[in-house]
Amino acid sequence: MAQESDFPTKQPSRMANHLPKPSPQTIKRLKSHLGELSTTALRYLEKSLPWYGSLAPEERAALGLVAQKGIATFVSWYEEPDSTPAWVMSDVFGAAPTELTRSISLQKALALLRTIVELVESQVPDIVIESEQAQVREAVLRYSREVAFAAADVYARAAETRGALDSRLEAQFIDAVLRGESQESLSSRVAALGWRSQKNLRVMVGMTPKMAPSTFVNALRRVAARYSRDSLVSVLGERSIMVLSGTRFDEVDFHRMARLFGDGPVVYSPLAPNIKDVHHAALAAMSGVSAARAWPQAPTPVAADDLWPERAFNGDQLARTALLERVYRPLIEAGNALAETLCSYLALGFSLEGTARELFVHANTVRYRLKRISEVTGWDPLSARDAFVLHTALLVGRLQPEDD
């Protein structure tokens, strides 16, 4: 789990606090029983720790080696207890792979250490003469305490290293998404992050708090874990980006997440069914944050699709295409003078009677056509905001070259 260089070359001894030096006879008997203790320890682990038997063979072998090294190193230290050289600690953990800290929690590692201590203590009466048994038990307890400190240090270092690595991988993934890398490349990147799902992805972008606490990113991760199978968070200057996969939440949950961002707009993307489409989802959310200032009354958070007009005016081609293909063209293809009715209704200040007179139809006919517009496009012309979206779609459509 750690290399020898991870430990300082010199450190003050916490174990050698006036501990009497053992007799040569005791050391000899301990050394002669090392093999027996190690074999018994492995059997004892399988019997006492239910999770130990469910580990992969290579993980059990690594932990077994830690247990054996722990026992052997105890005897080496106890022979000269006046100091605690760095190799005592590194020798216990140095043979175990760093990856073990991912699959074995610190709590399990400490449970393993406690189990080994219990075993050694139980074997003391059979190995050591009665006059030195109390001294050996005290030495075992002091040694186990030191090893527990070392285990905690190993896991802390591993977590810090893993966190830094994961942050770099997340930043690289966000960069790859925004640049539109291939599906194979993105799948490979999220696999490196340990993602289990690559479907139903959503991107949320907000402002990084100006005085962001050190817990800001972790807080986002904890909330994201409640509503998705996998997630990542990346801070890009004044913006923070959260990508969620396997999402399972409704609009209410967006508000819970949005509260964690700093002051300013928070925009969530449309749902991307798979990793291939997450590029457009991310661009929509990023564009939405840039354009949201043009709609001061926008809710927080706001859907990127609700910002189509602002995004289109800000030069977002994705928003122009969405207005054209999902609003303008369905409206034109629906026929029945829907586009003409909408134009008159908007030009006459949302007046039903004025529109009816303009078109020489009954007011109920205008009402019916406006209802049809809402059904065809998903935007209600009776709502001021929706009418603005429809008006923008008409402008985009009219300005679109005819051969397109």
Side-chain angles (χ1 to χ4, degrees), residues 130-339:
E130 186 175 356
S131 60
E132 292 194 37
Q133 288 179 11
Q135 177 182 326
V136 173
R137 287 194 179 95
E138 181 181 357
V140 169
L141 291 176
R142 293 190 185 187
Y143 177 79
S144 65
R145 182 189 65 181
E146 193 74 13
V147 173
F149 282 133
D153 183 64
V154 166
Y155 273 79
R157 291 170 185 265
E160 183 177 354
T161 301
R162 186 164 59 247
L165 175 61
D166 286 348
S167 295
R168 289 195 295 272
L169 291 175
E170 288 176 340
Q172 291 171 359
F173 174 73
I174 292 296
D175 180 65
V177 167
L178 295 177
R179 287 189 290 104
E181 286 192 5
S182 67
Q183 180 178 356
E184 292 75 13
S185 174
L186 295 179
S187 296
S188 175
R189 290 182 183 277
V190 293
L193 289 167
W195 277 29
R196 299 158 294 173
S197 171
Q198 297 184 18
K199 296 180 179 180
N200 295 330
L201 296 103
R202 202 182 290 271
V203 180
M204 179 174 278
V205 181
M207 308 308 291
T208 305
K210 291 183 178 179
M211 300 296 291
S214 58
T215 58
F216 167 64
V217 172
N218 288 334
L220 281 178
R221 294 187 199 279
R222 284 195 300 271
V223 173
R226 296 172 55 188
Y227 303 110
S228 63
R229 293 194 64 189
D230 301 291
S231 63
L232 64 83
V233 177
S234 182
V235 177
L236 300 180
E238 64 179 11
R239 295 182 182 179
S240 294
I241 302 174
M242 182 163 56
V243 182
L244 312 169
S245 72
T247 52
R248 48 178 183 274
F249 50 83
D250 55 30
E251 300 257 341
V252 175
D253 301 317
F254 285 121
H255 293 275
R256 297 176 183 174
M257 296 182 187
R259 287 198 295 265
L260 298 174
F261 290 89
D263 295 335
V266 179
V267 180
Y268 58 90
S269 73
L271 194 66
N274 51 55
I275 197 76
K276 178 182 66 175
D277 300 313
V278 74
H279 168 61
H280 288 159
L283 291 182
M286 292 288 283
S287 173
V289 168
S290 298
R293 66 179 183 274
W295 184 15
Q297 296 79 24
T300 301
V302 60
D305 285 358
D306 288 344
L307 289 163
W308 279 343
E310 290 78 10
R311 289 167 51 198
F313 291 139
N314 204 36
D316 183 356
Q317 186 58 44
L318 285 176
R320 292 176 58 87
T321 300
L323 287 167
L324 182 67
E325 296 183 352
R326 296 169 61 179
V327 181
Y328 179 77
R329 285 176 179 166
L331 185 64
I332 298 300
E333 292 169 0
N336 294 325
L338 295 187

Side-chain angles (χ1 to χ4, degrees), residues 1-3 6-7 55 58-59 62-63 66 93-110 150-163 165-166:
M1 286 186 236
Q3 301 301 320
D6 289 336
F7 297 91
L55 296 175
E58 60 273 14
E59 293 173 337
L63 282 180
V66 170
F93 296 103
T98 303
E99 291 78 8
L100 198 62
T101 59
R102 285 185 178 269
S103 55
I104 307 299
S105 67
L106 176 59
Q107 288 76 14
K108 289 183 177 180
L110 295 178
D153 183 64
V154 166
Y155 273 79
R157 291 170 185 265
E160 183 177 354
T161 301
R162 186 164 59 247
L165 175 61
D166 286 348

Side-chain angles (χ1 to χ4, degrees), residues 31-157:
K31 288 183 176 181
S32 66
H33 284 77
L34 278 178
E36 181 182 345
L37 281 173
S38 298
T39 302
T40 306
L42 296 180
R43 292 199 299 264
Y44 194 60
L45 288 176
E46 293 183 358
K47 178 181 178 181
S48 304
L49 302 175
W51 52 266
Y52 184 81
S54 62
L55 296 175
E58 60 273 14
E59 293 173 337
R60 287 200 304 272
L63 282 180
L65 185 58
V66 170
Q68 293 173 4
K69 281 284 188 179
I71 295 173
T73 306
F74 163 72
V75 176
S76 299
W77 164 77
Y78 189 43
E79 188 172 6
E80 294 290 341
D82 293 335
S83 62
T84 307
W87 63 264
V88 171
M89 295 302 103
S90 62
D91 204 37
V92 174
F93 296 103
T98 303
E99 291 78 8
L100 198 62
T101 59
R102 285 185 178 269
S103 55
I104 307 299
S105 67
L106 176 59
Q107 288 76 14
K108 289 183 177 180
L110 295 178
L112 180 141
L113 294 174
R114 285 194 298 269
T115 302
I116 297 300
V117 170
E118 292 173 1
L119 170 67
V120 174
E121 283 188 301
S122 69
Q123 298 297 311
V124 167
D126 298 330
I127 300 175
V128 181
I129 59 176
E130 186 175 356
S131 60
E132 292 194 37
Q133 288 179 11
Q135 177 182 326
V136 173
R137 287 194 179 95
E138 181 181 357
V140 169
L141 291 176
R142 293 190 185 187
Y143 177 79
S144 65
R145 182 189 65 181
E146 193 74 13
V147 173
F149 282 133
D153 183 64
V154 166
Y155 273 79
R157 291 170 185 265

